[in-house]
C-alpha cells in the first residue's frame, strides 16, 4: 500500500476528504472508479428530433440576459451561432457565467433540443468540440469537486503504482484478460470506447469473482462448522412467549421455531432474519437471547447507532430481566469505570447479555462463553468488525437482522452461505401509512397537513437532503428548512435539528428531547433512518424525495405508523414522480425492494454508501447479473480444483482468512 501523502499537492485537507470517503491509500484512490462516462460527440443535427439530447458547438452571438426568479434561481438566455444555425440557448442557475460568455466566445453546449432552434442547456463548456472525448464522471461527496478528484487521480497515476492481476490463470486465459495496470489507467483516462468496455467488463468480473469466491468458500465449509450443543426445553420458551404483552404473528412464530431448531442443532447457526420495518424482528432476537440464556451462554446484541442500542437496552430490561437475565449496555459513551466493571462481568460470566454499538468490537472485550451474536441492521456492519469479538474457543451461533429485504433470487446467490427467514406480515392493529406525493409548489398543503397532526399533539419528522452534498442543484439544506419551519410553526411548536455533522452526544440529546415530546418537529438528514421508535410521531415529510432510493424512503417511512394511530408520509418532489408513485400504492417492503433492485442495482439495498459486505466498487448486481452468474460458476470450478501455482495459493489463503473472520 502506498500512502496518500505521496500524491503531490494533496494536502492534509485532501487526505482528510479522501479518508472520509473510505480511501486510505493511493491504491484505493485508483480503485475509486467513475460511475459513468460522458462521451462528448457532436450531434448529427439532421437526425435529431425534438426532446433529444444535443451536443453542439459554436460562437456566442448575443450578450446573455439573466432573469432572476424565486429565491436564488436564475435563467440565462443568449444566441449561439453554429455556422449553420442560430440557436436560442437557455440555461438555469448559471447566471454567474455571464461575464465569461461575451459575444465571440467559443463554447460547447450540452442540452435538450426543445424546438427546431431552441435548446435548454444542462451544461456549457468553454471551447469547441475537438474530437470524440470520453470524460469519466465520479461521485462527488463530502464537498469534493469533479475537477479535484480528476486531478488527484491523475497525480496518483503518475506514481506508476504496480497492480497485479489476481484471478486464476485459467480464467485470465479463457477471457483474454488484460494486465491490471492497463485497466486502471484506461478506466480513468479512456481514449477508446470499445477498449473501455472490455476494461470495465474485466474489472467488474474480477470484483464479482472475488466476492463469489468468498461466498462459495463459506458455503462449502459451512457443513463442517461445529457449533454449540444445547438442550433447551421448548416448554420454557412457550411459557416465555405466553407472558409477552402481545401474541406473536404467525410469521414471528415460524421464525422462533426455526431459530429454536437451529440452536438445538449442533451445527452452527448462520441465519438472516429479514422483515419489513416494524414487522417485529426485535422480539424474536430477544427470544433467541432467552434460549441462549437457558443453555447458559452469553449473548451480544449489536446495533449500528447509539440511539438504537439504547432503545434495545431499555426493551431488554423490560422483557428479559424479569426472567433473571442480566443485561448491560456498552457504547462509546460508557464511562471508563463502568466499562471496567462490564468487562469484568463479561469475563467472569455474571453478565448474560451485552447490548452495544461498535464499542463491542474493541480489543479489550473478552467473553467467558459467548454463544450467540445478533447484529441488527446487518448491512450497516462490515465483515471486519465482526471479527474482533474475542471469545474463548467457542464458535457462537449467529443471527443477522435486516429491514432491507433482498429479492429471493438474489438472496440465494449472494447469501449462499446463510439461511434466510422472512417476516411478511405486520403485527395486527397497525394501520398502513398513508403516503402522498406533493410538488414543491404545493408546500402550503404540506404545512396544512403538518399543522393538522401537530394540533392533535402528534409529532412530525421532516427529512432534508444530506448537508454534505454540494448545493449545485439548489437543494434546501437542513438549516434553510429550519428557518422556514420556524417561520411557519416557531411560535407554537419546538423545532429540533439532527444531522451527520453533530457529535453522538448532541444527536442523542436531540433524540431524547424528541422522544419526550419536548420537540414536536424534528428536522433531520437520514441519520434517523434506522430503527428508532417514537410512537407519538405520526407524520414523515421527506423533501427532495427523488434523491433517495425507494427502499431508503420506505425505511424512513417506517419511522411512523408504529401503533394503531393513523400515520402519514408526504413525499415532496418535483422530479421522478413516476418512480415515487410506487410508494403511494404499496407498503410491502419486499415488493418495493424488488422494484428498487430493478431500477438501481444493488446500491441502495445495502444502505447506500455505508460500510458493508455488499458494497461493490464497480459491479452492479442487477445490470451485471449475468456476469455474476459466470463468476459464480467459475469460482465454484476453481474451488473444486485449485491449481498449485502462487496465484491460486494466494486466493485460497485470502478466502480462508475471510472465512475465519466470523
Ligand atoms: P423491526 O422489525 O423494525 O425491528 P420492531 O421489532 O422494532 O420492528 O417492532 C416494532 C414494534 O412492534 C415494537 O414496538 C414491538 O414491540 C411491536 N411488536 C412486535 N411484535 C408485535 C406483535 N406480534 N404484536 C404487536 N406488537 C408487536
Ligand atoms: Mg429493528
Amino acid at each position: 500500500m502506498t500512502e496518500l501523502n505521496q500524491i503531490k499537492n494533496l494536502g492534509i485537507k485532501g487526505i482528510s476528504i479522501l479518508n472520509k470517503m473510505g480511501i486510505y491509500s493511493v491504491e484505493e484512490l485508483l480503485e475509486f472508479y467513475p460511475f459513468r462516462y460522458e462521451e462528448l460527440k457532436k450531434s448529427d443535427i439532421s437526425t435529431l428530433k425534438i426532446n433529444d439530447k444535443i451536443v453542439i458547438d459554436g460562437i456566442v452571438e448575443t450578450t446573455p440576459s439573466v432573469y432572476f426568479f424565486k429565491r436564488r434561481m436564475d435563467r440565462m438566455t443568449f444566441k449561439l451561432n453554429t455556422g449553420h444555425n442560430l440557436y436560442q440557448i437557455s440555461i438555469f442557475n448559471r447566471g454567474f457565467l455571464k461575464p465569461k460568455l461575451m459575444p465571440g466566445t467559443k463554447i460547447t453546449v450540452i442540452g435538450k433540443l426543445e424546438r427546431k432552434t431552441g435548446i435548454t442547456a444542462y451544461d456549457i463548456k468553454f471551447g469547441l468540440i475537438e474530437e470524440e472525448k470520453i470524460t469519466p464522471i465520479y461521485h462527488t461527496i463530502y464537498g469534493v469537486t469533479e475537477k479535484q478528484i480528476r486531478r488527484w487521480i491523475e497525480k496518483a497515476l503518475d506514481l506508476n503504482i504496480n497492480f497485479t492481476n489476481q484471478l486464476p490463470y485459467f480464467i485470465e486465459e479463457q477471457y483474454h484478460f488484460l494486465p491490471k495496470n492497463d485497466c486502471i489507467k484506461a478506466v480513468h483516462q479512456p481514449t477508446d470506447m470499445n477498449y473501455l468496455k472490455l476494461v470495465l467488463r474485466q474489472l467488474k468480473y474480477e470484483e464479482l469473482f472475488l466476492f463469489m469466491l468468498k461466498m462459495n468458500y463459506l458455503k462449502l465449509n459451512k457443513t463442517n462448522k461445529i457449533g454449540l450443543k444445547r438442550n433447551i426445553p421448548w416448554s420454557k420458551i412457550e411459557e416465555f412467549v405466553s407472558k409477552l404483552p402481545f401474541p406473536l404473528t404467525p410469521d414471528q412464530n415460524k421464525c422462533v421455531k426455526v431459530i429454536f431448531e437451529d440452536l438445538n442443532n449442533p451445527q452452527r447457526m448462520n441465519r438472516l432474519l429479514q422483515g419489513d420495518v416494524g414487522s417485529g424482528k426485535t422480539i424474536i432476537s430477544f427470544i433467541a437471547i432467552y434460549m441462549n440464556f437457558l443453555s447458559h451462554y452469553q449473548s451480544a446484541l449489536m446495533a449500528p447507532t447509539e440511539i438504537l442500542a439504547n432503545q434495545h437496552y431499555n426493551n431488554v430490561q423490560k422483557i428479559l430481566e424479569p426472567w433473571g437475565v442480566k443485561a448491560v449496555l456498552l457504547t462509546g459513551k460508557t464511562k471508563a469505570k463502568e466499562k471496567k466493571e462490564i468487562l469484568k462481568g463479561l469475563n467472569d460470566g455474571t453478565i448474560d447479555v451485552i447490548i452495544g454499538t461498535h464499542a463491542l468490537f474493541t480489543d479489550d472485550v473478552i467473553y467467558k462463553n459467548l454463544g450467540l451474536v445478533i447484529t441488527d441492521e446487518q448491512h450497516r456492519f462490515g465483515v471486519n468488525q465482526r471479527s474482533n469479538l474475542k471469545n474463548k474457543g467457542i464458535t457462537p451461533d449467529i443471527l443477522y437482522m435486516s429491514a432491507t429485504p433482498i429479492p429471493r433470487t438474489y438472496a440465494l446467490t449472494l447469501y449462499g452461505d446463510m439461511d434466510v427467514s422472512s417476516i411478511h406480515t405486520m403485527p395486527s392493529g397497525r394501520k398502513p401509512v398513508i403516503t402522498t406525493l406533493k410538488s414543491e409548489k404545493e408546500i402550503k398543503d404540506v404545512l396544512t397537513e403538518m399543522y393538522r397532526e401537530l394540533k392533535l399533539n402528534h409529532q412530525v419528522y421532516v427529512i432534508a437532503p444530506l448537508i454534505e452534498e454540494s448545493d449545485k442543484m439548489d437543494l434546501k439544506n437542513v438549516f434553510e428548512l429550519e428557518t422556514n419551519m420556524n417561520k411557519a410553526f416557531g411560535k407554537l411548536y419546538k423545532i429540533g435539528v439532527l444531522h451527520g455533522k453533530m457529535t453522538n452526544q448532541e444527536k442523542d440529546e436531540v433524540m431524547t428531547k424528541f422522544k419526550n415530546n419536548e420537540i414536536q418537529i424534528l428536522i433531520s438528514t437520514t441519520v434517523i433512518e434506522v430503527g428508532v421508535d417514537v410512537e407519538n410521531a405520526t407524520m414523515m415529510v421527506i423533501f427532495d424525495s427523488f434523491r433517495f432510493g425507494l427502499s431508503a424512503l420506505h425505511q424512513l417511512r417506517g419511522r411512523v405508523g408504529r401503533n394503531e394511530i393513523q400515520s402519514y408520509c408526504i413525499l415532496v418532489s418535483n422530479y421522478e414522480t413516476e418512480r415515487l408513485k410506487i410508494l403511494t400504492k404499496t407498503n410491502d417492503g419486499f415488493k418495493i425492494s424488488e422494484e428498487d433492485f430493478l431500477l438501481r442495482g444493488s446500491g441502495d439495498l445495502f444502505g447506500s454508501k455505508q460500510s458493508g459486505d455488499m458494497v461493490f466498487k464497480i459491479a452492479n448486481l442487477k445490470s451485471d447479473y449475468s456476469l455474476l452468474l459466470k463468476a459464480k460458476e467459475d469460482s465454484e470450478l476453481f474451488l473444486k480444483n485449485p491449481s498449485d501455482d502462487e496465484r491460486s495459493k494466494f486466493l485460497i489463503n485470502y478466502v480462508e482468512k475471510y472465512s475465519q473472520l466470523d
Side-chain angles (χ1 to χ4, degrees):
M1 287 288 158
T2 316
E3 281 190 37
L4 284 173
N5 60 21
Q6 298 293 308
I7 298 175
K8 262 197 202 138
N9 301 330
L10 183 56
I12 293 175
K13 192 147 172 253
I15 289 180
S16 106
I17 290 176
L18 287 175
N19 287 171
K20 267 202 227 160
M21 292 161 64
I23 295 170
Y24 294 91
S25 67
V26 180
E27 286 81 357
E28 282 170 344
L29 175 59
L30 289 172
E31 285 184 330
F32 182 73
Y33 299 121
F35 75 101
R36 65 182 180 88
Y37 294 86
E38 217 169 66
E39 214 183 347
L40 212 51
K41 196 171 163 187
K42 208 186 279 196
S43 304
D44 177 1
I45 309 292
S46 63
T47 63
L48 276 194
K49 295 186 296 295
I50 302 299
N51 285 333
D52 279 353
K53 186 183 170 186
I54 179 167
V55 180
I56 205 166
D57 58 359
I59 291 168
V60 178
E61 176 91 8
T62 59
T63 307
S65 342
V66 179
Y67 310 92
F68 292 92
F69 63 102
K70 273 202 200 162
R71 234 164 49 113
R72 294 166 49 190
M73 301 279 274
D74 66 65
R75 175 166 170 260
M76 176 165 65
T77 57
F78 60 91
K79 286 198 162 61
L80 180 78
N81 189 339
T82 66
H84 302 282
N85 274 321
L86 211 52
Y87 284 95
Q88 173 79 18
I89 310 291
S90 80
I91 185 164
F92 290 97
N93 297 330
R94 299 293 166 84
F96 59 89
L97 285 179
K98 178 177 168 169
K100 290 178 155 179
L101 287 171
M102 286 302 114
T105 313
K106 292 173 185 159
I107 60 166
T108 300
V109 168
I110 301 146
K112 190 171 100 175
L113 190 66
E114 296 286 355
R115 54 204 145 75
K116 214 160 172 231
T117 54
I119 296 173
T120 301
Y122 324 124
D123 200 10
I124 291 177
K125 294 187 191 303
F126 290 93
L128 302 178
I129 305 172
E130 280 159 21
E131 58 197 294
E132 274 184 40
K133 198 176 158 204
I134 310 168
T135 313
I137 309 291
Y138 298 88
H139 276 300
T140 50
I141 37 180
Y142 303 113
V144 69
T145 64
E146 282 283 329
K147 227 170 154 181
Q148 273 173 317
I149 293 208
R150 253 185 237 125
R151 207 179 54 226
W152 293 342
I153 286 182
E154 204 174 299
K155 292 257 157 67
L157 284 168
D158 287 347
L159 294 173
N160 286 319
I161 306 281
N162 192 33
F163 282 85
T164 47
N165 292 29
Q166 288 182 305
L167 298 182
Y169 290 112
F170 82 94
I171 284 175
E172 213 170 285
E173 277 164 30
Q174 187 181 332
Y175 297 114
H176 308 287
F177 278 163
L178 305 155
K180 179 89 182 249
N181 279 332
D182 297 356
C183 294
I184 294 286
K185 183 151 172 45
V187 81
H188 294 295
Q189 299 180 339
T191 49
D192 177 280
M193 212 53 190
N194 288 328
Y195 187 74
L196 177 62
K197 277 183 190 151
L198 284 180
V199 163
L200 290 175
R201 187 169 155 274
Q202 175 173 340
L203 292 174
K204 286 173 175 180
Y205 177 90
E206 181 187 84
E207 190 169 33
L208 292 168
F209 180 89
L210 293 176
F211 175 74
M212 285 319 303
L213 191 67
K214 287 188 279 194
M215 285 301 148
N216 284 325
Y217 187 84
L218 288 176
K219 202 168 164 184
L220 268 179
N221 290 281
K222 184 177 116 175
T223 37
N224 319 336
K225 277 215 177 123
I226 301 300
L228 306 173
K229 258 221 178 80
R230 311 160 185 272
N231 212 339
I232 314 161
W234 176 246
S235 59
K236 289 239 160 142
I237 306 306
E238 272 181 327
E239 188 193 346
F240 181 85
V241 170
S242 72
K243 297 266 163 67
L244 288 175
F246 42 72
L248 295 183
T249 64
D251 280 354
Q252 282 176 320
N253 266 319
K254 244 188 251 165
C255 293
V256 170
K257 284 226 175 71
V258 168
I259 291 171
F260 177 77
E261 276 157 26
D262 278 353
L263 291 181
N264 263 339
N265 186 330
Q267 195 176 309
R268 191 177 185 192
M269 174 168 81
N270 193 25
R271 182 168 293 278
L272 170 70
L273 177 59
Q274 53 175 15
D276 225 330
V277 207
S279 60
K281 296 183 293 293
T282 315
I283 193 68
I284 295 177
S285 71
F286 289 3
I287 298 171
I289 290 172
Y290 186 60
M291 292 176 189
N292 186 50
F293 166 77
L294 288 177
S295 40
H296 312 290
Y297 290 107
Q298 295 169 300
S299 306
L301 171 57
M302 310 191 291
T305 64
E306 275 180 22
I307 298 173
L308 210 54
N310 265 304
Q311 188 174 295
H312 283 328
Y313 177 61
N314 290 334
N315 288 329
V316 163
Q317 280 183 309
K318 261 188 252 154
I319 292 180
L320 285 170
E321 290 208 331
W323 298 82
V325 180
K326 170 93 180 101
V328 293
L329 174 72
L330 180 65
T331 70
K333 265 168 67 182
T334 310
K335 300 241 157 55
K337 192 171 153 233
E338 198 184 335
K339 182 169 177 184
K340 217 168 137 192
E341 263 165 46
I342 290 176
L343 293 182
K344 190 168 156 281
L346 286 175
N347 210 347
D348 67 21
T350 46
I351 293 172
D352 300 310
V353 51
I354 182 160
I355 295 132
T357 53
H358 294 84
L360 294 192
F361 298 114
T362 49
D363 270 345
D364 45 359
V365 185
I366 299 166
Y367 298 86
K368 180 167 180 235
N369 59 358
L370 182 64
L372 176 65
V373 178
I374 301 171
T375 347
D376 196 9
E377 309 297 346
Q378 84 93 11
H379 62 277
R380 295 253 163 171
F381 289 93
V383 172
N384 297 333
Q385 288 163 329
R386 292 203 294 268
S387 71
N388 291 342
L389 291 168
K390 296 276 180 316
N391 199 9
K392 292 193 175 150
I394 298 175
T395 42
D397 288 298
I398 299 192
L399 180 67
Y400 306 100
M401 299 194 281
S402 172
T404 345
I406 307 166
R408 192 162 174 77
T409 36
Y410 295 97
L412 289 177
T413 319
L414 301 172
Y415 283 144
D417 69 310
M418 275 188 218
D419 298 308
V420 181
S421 297
S422 307
I423 310 181
H424 288 276
T425 45
M426 287 290 190
S428 57
R430 285 287 165 80
K431 289 208 181 74
V433 179
I434 295 177
T435 304
T436 49
L437 200 54
K438 297 271 181 215
S439 71
E440 278 173 33
K441 272 197 218 124
E442 299 168 294
I443 185 74
K444 273 216 174 103
D445 295 355
V446 177
L447 295 175
T448 310
E449 289 196 32
M450 283 176 69
Y451 187 47
R452 188 195 63 217
E453 287 305 303
L454 292 164
K455 266 198 307 198
L456 294 168
N457 288 326
H458 295 161
Q459 291 159 276
V460 178
Y461 292 104
V462 179
I463 304 292
L466 294 173
I467 66 168
E468 288 99 340
E469 296 279 333
S470 69
D471 56 3
K472 233 189 194 168
M473 292 174 75
D474 198 25
L475 294 170
K476 291 150 242 52
N477 66 27
V478 178
F479 300 116
E480 198 178 316
L481 264 177
E482 188 186 15
T483 313
N484 289 338
M485 288 295 156
N486 260 317
K487 265 188 218 150
F489 298 113
K491 286 206 181 99
L492 294 168
Y493 301 104
K494 280 261 172 320
I495 296 165
V497 161
L498 202 66
H499 59 77
K501 295 239 165 89
M502 292 160 69
T503 65
N504 284 340
Q505 193 178 344
E506 288 167 336
K507 282 185 211 161
D508 277 357
E509 273 164 24
V510 174
M511 212 51 228
T512 309
K513 276 192 185 156
F514 191 62
K515 266 199 154 171
N516 298 338
N517 202 358
E518 290 161 43
I519 288 172
Q520 286 76 43
I521 302 174
L522 181 64
I523 302 171
S524 167
T525 56
T526 49
V527 286
I528 59 148
E529 183 188 335
V530 269
V532 190
D533 214 355
V534 180
E535 283 203 8
N536 191 45
T538 55
M539 181 172 277
M540 166 76 56
V541 181
I542 306 172
F543 280 91
D544 280 326
S545 346
F546 72 95
R547 300 222 102 210
F548 298 95
L550 295 177
S551 294
L553 288 169
H554 179 63
Q555 288 249 18
L556 282 168
R557 158 171 86 173
R559 297 301 114 229
V560 297
R562 301 187 74 84
N563 51 27
E564 62 293 333
I565 310 173
Q566 181 61 58
S567 289
Y568 303 86
C569 173
I570 306 179
L571 304 173
V572 185
S573 178
N574 286 345
Y575 308 93
E576 293 195 43
T577 44
E578 270 313 304
R579 178 173 73 91
L580 297 174
K581 259 191 202 142
I582 296 164
L583 291 171
T584 65
K585 288 183 195 142
T586 179
N587 270 290
D588 180 341
F590 286 87
K591 242 189 218 154
I592 290 163
S593 120
E594 187 94 45
E595 290 284 346
D596 215 12
F597 206 81
L598 291 175
L599 290 166
R600 295 165 65 111
S602 73
D604 239 54
L605 271 182
F606 306 107
S608 63
K609 288 154 207 133
Q610 301 293 327
S611 65
D613 312 349
M614 297 287 185
V615 178
F616 292 92
K617 288 182 188 138
I618 194 162
N620 173 310
L621 293 181
K622 170 65 181 56
S623 53
D624 302 322
Y625 191 61
S626 56
L627 215 50
L628 176 76
L629 290 181
K630 236 188 233 157
K632 179 172 185 273
E633 246 171 63
D634 292 344
S635 60
E636 278 163 1
L637 206 67
F638 171 74
L639 282 176
K640 265 188 209 136
N641 194 7
S643 47
D644 207 24
D645 53 72
E646 282 305 305
R647 217 183 264 179
S648 301
K649 276 186 207 151
F650 173 83
L651 283 171
I652 295 291
N653 191 13
Y654 166 77
V655 287
E656 261 169 13
K657 251 197 214 142
Y658 175 87
S659 74
Q660 278 157 12
L661 291 182
D662 59 6

